[in-house]
């Protein structure tokens, strides 16, 4: 009989070798259809039971009535608990000397920006005060900021970023905020979290995001800005141990491949099957140019539109992201759906079914509720965006988790010289012995598992990189 526990991972050192564990917290996460899960005490009250064994008994009955969810629980989520616990124990080595040097560079950049902004402002201003910054931007610099419900000017990144091209001071402010965040979150904080072996140990949460995506905290190693110069420098401070190297396996355009599979859109399927650039294909249709003549800037627009559709972006949101008019953005969206008509048909049928069922699900059966209360029948715009993204991001999360379980079973359990250190959504980072023959063998084995994780109607591709530090990794030729 399985032993019932709440939050198995937090008790891993106590129960880790026990193969008969039923994690009531993980079960409740799957049964909650994406809602916020209760505490252990609240769950016992909600189920009207006095012990975890009684709770587990009722949860088992609910899971049995949902075979796909039960399979997710037994074959993916429960095995994953042990994998995540081991990843947390493994940690990743941090070069604190290098990080302090990067911190000094960031400090100098912040000082220069502060002086530049204050010179432009013309008087002393607290750049960390949203009120002072908002008042200056709107009333002195002429930035047309909207106001919050409290009557203050909105100065969040999303709001002011719309004016970065028009007002250079806004761009400077955004850079200042990014640098101060990097300093506090990834320099000062990381140095404090290094253990006696110079390793940092993040915490993974598998019951926090409704799509099933993992989140990382204390510290969050999934959110270091990859496009930022200093973000890359911070990542370069994470290093492989002596005689070790990092191997990174990153799913290539996995969400767009899942979209192609779910919708059956021939043009997308053909693009992936023939290894063509889907962002260039979209751009060629949007701008009415030949595929071969698509510019780098046009491809970037195509990429924004492709991912914007996946995330349910409105014409207004797209107009902000591309700095174009709402009408022009709507024209791009209309052209996208005209180019890929089966995608529009899929979403129309999908949302229609969601209203009927009251839930949506991933390809592997993970569910998310649609309505907050039983009588609700309409789907507002914000909910619509979430629902459109759910089967795509949720399926990608499920497949990544399945790949991790398969890799653990087929590779990690048989090889002592490899450790899984990080999962950054579509990317896995391993630390392995720096031996050419062994590395080549592991690359082939792991890539095969990831590419064959689930039969899609398009090929699954994985990009492999290798390096002594996380920030500077070179592509491995296949």
């Amino acid at each position: 009989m399985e032993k019932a526990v709440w939050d198995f991972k937090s008790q891993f050192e106590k129960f880790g070798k026990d193969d008969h564990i039923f994690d009531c917290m993980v079960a409740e996460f799957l049964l909650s259809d994406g809602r916020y899960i209760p505490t252990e005490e609240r769950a016992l009250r909600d189920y009207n039971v006095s012990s975890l064994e009684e709770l587990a008994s009722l949860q088992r009955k609910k899971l049995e009535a949902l075979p796909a969810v039960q399979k997710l629980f037994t074959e993916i989520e429960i095995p994953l608990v042990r994998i995540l616990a081991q990843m947390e124990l493994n940690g990743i080595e941090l070069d604190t000397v290098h990080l302090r040097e990067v911190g000094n560079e960031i400090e100098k950049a912040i000082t220069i920006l502060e002086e530049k902004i204050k010179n432009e402002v013309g008087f002393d201003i607290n750049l960390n005060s949203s009120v002072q910054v908002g008042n200056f931007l709107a009333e002195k610099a002429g930035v047309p900021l909207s106001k919050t419900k409290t009557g203050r000017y909105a100065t969040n990144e999303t709001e002011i970023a719309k004016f970065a091209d028009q007002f250079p001071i806004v761009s400077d402010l955004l850079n200042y905020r990014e640098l101060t965040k990097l300093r506090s979150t990834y320099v000062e904080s990381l140095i404090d979290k290094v253990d006696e072996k110079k390793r940092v140990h993040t915490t993974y949460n598998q019951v926090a995001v409704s799509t099933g995506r993992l989140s990382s905290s204390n510290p969050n190693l999934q959110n270091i800005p990859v496009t930022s110069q200093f973000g890359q420098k911070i990542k370069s401070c994470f290093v492989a141990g002596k005689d070790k190297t990092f191997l990174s396996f990153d799913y290539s355009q996995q969400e767009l491949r899942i979209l192609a599979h779910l919708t059956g859109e021939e043009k997308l399927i053909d693009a992936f099957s023939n290894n063509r650039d889907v962002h260039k294909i979209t751009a060629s249709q949007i701008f009415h140019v030949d595929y071969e003549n698509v510019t780098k800037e046009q491809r970037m627009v195509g990429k924004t539109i492709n991912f914007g559709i996946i995330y349910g972006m409105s014409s207004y949101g797209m107009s902000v992201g591309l700095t174009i008019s709402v009408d022009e953005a709507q024209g791009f969206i209309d052209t996208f759906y005209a180019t890929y008509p089966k995608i529009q048909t899929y979403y129309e049928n999908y949302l229609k079914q969601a209203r009927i069922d009251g839930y949506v699900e991933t390809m592997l059966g993970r569910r998310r509720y649609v309505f907050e209360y039983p009588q609700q029948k309409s789907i507002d715009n914000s909910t619509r965006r979430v629902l459109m993204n759910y089967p795509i991001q949720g399926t990608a999360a499920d497949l990544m988790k399945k790949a991790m379980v398969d890799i653990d079973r087929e590779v990690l359990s048989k090889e002592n010289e490899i450790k899984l250190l990080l999962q950054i959504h579509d990317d896995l980072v391993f630390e392995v012995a720096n031996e050419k023959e062994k590395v080549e063998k592991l690359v082939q084995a792991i890539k095969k598992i990831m590419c064959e994780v689930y039969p899609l109607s398009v090929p699954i591709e994985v990009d492999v990189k290798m390096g002594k530090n996380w920030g500077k990794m070179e592509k491995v030729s296949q």
Side-chain angles (χ1 to χ4, degrees), residues 139-194:
E139 297 172 7
K140 302 292 184 181
V143 181
L145 298 179
S146 60
K147 286 191 174 184
T148 65
K149 292 179 181 179
T150 61
R152 294 176 176 175
Y153 292 109
T155 60
N156 59 69
E157 277 72 14
T158 303
E159 176 64 25
I160 68 174
K162 295 183 289 188
F163 309 106
D165 291 337
Q166 187 179 354
F167 298 90
I169 193 171
V170 171
S171 180
D172 290 336
L173 276 167
L174 290 171
N175 289 336
Y176 171 82
R177 288 182 179 180
E178 180 181 341
L179 290 174
T180 54
K181 183 178 180 180
L182 285 174
R183 177 181 62 186
S184 61
T185 307
Y186 294 110
V187 177
E188 298 166 358
S189 176
L190 282 174
I191 291 173
D192 291 338
K193 290 179 170 61
V194 175

Side-chain angles (χ1 to χ4, degrees), residues 223-471:
N223 208 31
I224 302 174
V226 293
T227 57
S228 160
Q229 173 193 359
F230 283 113
Q232 285 298 108
K233 286 188 175 185
I234 289 171
K235 286 182 68 175
S236 71
C237 297
F238 291 94
V239 296
K242 185 180 180 182
D243 300 324
K244 305 282 186 180
T245 190
F246 288 147
L247 279 178
S248 162
F249 295 79
D250 189 3
Y251 276 121
S252 172
Q253 298 181 332
Q254 184 75 329
E255 292 188 353
L256 283 171
R257 293 173 193 271
I258 291 168
L259 179 68
H261 176 83
L262 285 172
T263 62
E265 176 51 63
E266 288 90 348
K267 288 182 181 177
L268 271 185
I269 292 173
D270 179 71
F272 284 122
S273 298
N274 291 290
N275 200 28
R276 300 185 81 208
D277 188 327
V278 293
H279 301 319
K280 285 182 67 174
I281 290 175
T282 298
S284 71
Q285 298 297 314
I286 295 295
F287 293 104
H288 308 289
V289 298
D290 291 337
Y291 174 85
E292 294 77 13
N293 296 329
V294 170
T295 66
K296 184 178 179 181
E297 291 74 21
Q298 289 171 334
R299 182 187 181 277
M300 186 57 67
V301 173
K303 182 177 180 179
T304 300
I305 294 168
N306 283 339
F307 286 112
I309 297 297
I310 288 178
Y311 288 94
M313 187 183 290
S314 66
S315 56
Y316 173 75
M318 191 169 290
S319 72
V320 173
L322 295 175
T323 320
I324 57 177
S325 70
V326 174
D327 288 344
E328 191 175 0
Q330 186 59 53
F332 283 170
I333 292 173
D334 292 342
T335 302
F336 176 93
Y337 283 127
T339 302
Y340 307 115
K342 285 195 173 180
I343 294 179
Q344 185 167 25
T345 301
Y346 165 79
Y347 275 125
E348 288 173 351
N349 293 335
Y350 165 78
L351 291 171
K352 187 183 298 181
Q353 193 64 42
R355 292 184 184 92
I356 296 170
D357 296 335
Y359 66 85
V360 292
E361 58 186 357
T362 67
M363 283 165 49
L364 271 64
R366 185 183 303 276
R367 291 186 173 189
R368 188 196 191 282
Y369 72 96
V370 173
F371 303 119
E372 291 284 351
Y373 48 89
Q375 295 78 24
Q376 187 179 355
K377 297 299 179 185
S378 63
I379 299 174
D380 61 28
N381 287 335
S382 61
T383 301
R384 182 177 179 275
R385 286 195 295 272
V386 171
L387 296 181
M388 286 178 69
N389 176 240
Y390 187 81
I392 312 297
Q393 187 181 106
T395 296
D398 288 344
L399 297 189
M400 173 54 93
K401 286 180 173 180
K402 184 178 185 303
M404 293 170 71
V405 172
D406 293 347
I407 291 167
D408 182 71
R409 182 182 62 249
E410 300 297 329
V411 178
L412 302 185
S413 65
K414 301 174 183 178
E415 296 281 351
N416 295 325
E417 295 298 318
I418 178 171
K419 291 180 179 179
L420 177 55
L421 304 188
L422 301 172
Q423 191 253 49
I424 307 93
H425 305 310
D426 288 335
D427 187 13
L428 296 177
V429 179
F430 299 84
E431 186 177 54
V432 306
N434 195 10
E435 301 171 15
K436 184 178 179 182
E437 190 173 313
K438 180 160 286 189
V439 167
E440 289 176 351
K441 178 182 174 184
L442 289 170
V443 166
Q444 295 303 319
I446 293 172
K447 184 173 180 180
K448 184 174 188 294
I449 290 170
M450 292 180 71
C451 289
E452 297 177 0
V453 67
Y454 194 90
L456 298 183
S457 56
V458 297
I460 295 176
E461 294 291 337
V462 174
D463 295 326
V464 186
K465 293 183 179 180
M466 178 179 176
K468 283 293 292 180
N469 72 65
W470 188 21

Side-chain angles (χ1 to χ4, degrees), residues 7-140:
D7 192 2
F8 173 31
K9 183 160 68 66
S10 69
Q11 307 171 68
F12 180 69
E13 294 187 65
K14 179 180 178 182
F15 296 112
K17 294 182 180 179
D18 191 336
D19 290 331
H20 303 286
I21 295 291
F22 185 97
D23 192 326
C24 295
M25 183 181 75
V26 173
E28 192 59 25
F29 175 61
L30 288 174
L31 292 169
S32 71
D33 292 348
R35 292 180 176 85
Y36 179 75
I37 64 167
T39 61
E40 177 182 346
E41 293 75 19
R42 178 62 186 269
L44 292 172
R45 289 201 304 272
D46 289 347
Y47 278 81
N48 195 26
V49 295
S50 57
S51 69
L52 288 176
E53 284 71 24
E54 292 176 289
L55 175 60
S57 178
L58 295 176
Q59 288 176 326
R60 284 190 190 95
K61 290 178 182 178
K62 284 190 171 185
L63 288 170
E64 287 169 4
L66 300 167
V69 178
Q70 183 183 46
K71 188 175 182 180
L72 262 177
F73 177 74
T74 57
E75 297 184 10
I76 295 180
E77 295 291 355
I78 288 300
L80 188 71
V81 174
R82 291 182 171 87
I83 296 169
L84 296 178
Q86 188 59 57
M87 289 168 65
E88 292 176 6
L89 289 173
N90 290 340
I92 183 169
E93 188 172 331
L94 180 67
D95 184 343
T96 55
V97 174
H98 186 194
L99 184 58
R100 284 191 175 92
E101 292 172 353
V102 174
N104 290 335
E105 289 183 51
I106 292 174
E107 199 68 52
K108 290 177 183 176
I110 289 172
T111 300
I112 291 170
L113 266 178
E114 280 180 324
E115 293 177 358
K116 181 182 178 184
I117 293 170
K118 288 181 179 180
N119 285 338
E120 186 167 344
V121 170
F123 56 85
D124 193 35
I125 183 173
N126 181 358
L127 298 180
N128 299 311
S129 167
S130 59
V131 174
Q132 291 186 32
V133 168
N135 288 343
F136 169 77
L137 289 178
E139 297 172 7
K140 302 292 184 181

